[in-house]
Amino acid sequence: MPSPTSATQFRLRLYPGDFDASRAFYADVLGYPIVEEWNDGPASRGAMFDTGAGIIELLCSTRIIGPARGAGVSLEVTDVASLWERLRDAAPVAYPLRHNAWGDTSFGLHDPDGFEVVFFTGD
């Protein structure tokens, strides 16, 4: 029997300092499709991006200020080396493509607010 807290969808909510820059990063640089978007005024904008394994949701809010601290997101992809070649000059690099002792290959980028987005492929 599943736990009562078992989720049917995973969403990571981010509150970017510059909504338009973050929207462009996730849509244009990373190429995630927008599954829903709304604009009900400056303090009520949002966009939801389908990563394939969950949703990254960008929200404008006047109550949360600044980048996420002590957090990041890791996304498993089928070919991390090819993705690295495509994205290495498209965004600030947190760390370059590397083979990790724990059995995967990964690289990390920073979104416009400095939030770390890591891509990996198991070895």
Side-chain angles (χ1 to χ4, degrees), residues 100-105 121-123:
N100 300 305
W102 48 89
D104 69 17
T105 301
T121 299
D123 291 339

Side-chain angles (χ1 to χ4, degrees), residues 2-11:
S3 165
T5 58
S6 292
T8 57
Q9 184 182 84
F10 176 82
R11 288 188 193 179

